Amino acid sequence: MAVVGEILDLKKGNHKTFELLFKKYYVFLCYEARSYITEKYIIEEVVGDVIRWLWENRETLVITSVRAYLVRAVHNACLSTLGNINLNMWSWMILL
């Protein structure tokens, strides 16, 4: 399937296209997330959240490359997750 076709089908709400994109990118995105996060369950949660967000916001997306978009989104989600983890750690340290 062509990249433009993937994006158009995704925007139309084609479940099969979404499933294909999930299968195509999920493992790759988990490896990308592993560059930032080591806990498997957190990696899976971050990647799953990004892919779910893509589906939920498909109608308003303005992207030219699904792969590039997902890689950047996972990168940003990992940094956000790490920031939240560090903030929580600092909160506990202050309480002690």
Side-chain angles (χ1 to χ4, degrees):
M1 179 180 298
V3 173
V4 174
E6 284 180 345
I7 295 169
L8 291 175
D9 285 348
L10 183 65
K11 284 188 163 205
K12 291 177 185 175
N14 186 321
H15 290 274
K16 185 170 180 141
T17 298
F18 178 73
E19 184 179 330
L20 290 172
L21 289 174
F22 181 87
K23 289 178 181 177
K24 182 177 182 180
Y25 293 114
Y26 182 79
V27 173
F28 169 73
L29 293 170
C30 286
Y31 279 112
E32 288 292 312
R34 191 169 179 170
S35 301
Y36 305 94
I37 300 170
T38 56
E39 296 293 328
K40 184 180 176 185
Y41 74 96
I42 297 174
I43 290 170
E44 291 172 348
E45 184 175 327
V46 166
V47 172
D49 287 349
V50 166
I51 293 174
R52 187 186 75 247
W53 190 93
L54 178 75
W55 176 254
E56 291 173 351
N57 296 280
R58 67 190 177 278
E59 295 171 350
T60 59
L61 291 175
V62 180
I63 58 175
T64 55
S65 168
V66 173
R67 183 180 188 274
Y69 181 86
L70 288 172
V71 168
R72 179 54 63 183
V74 165
H75 165 84
N76 292 339
C78 286
L79 294 180
S80 178
T81 299
L82 289 172
N84 290 338
I85 290 170
N86 288 335
L87 182 61
N88 288 338
M89 287 175 61
W90 278 104
S91 297
W92 279 104
M93 290 177 74
I94 291 171
L95 291 174
L96 296 176

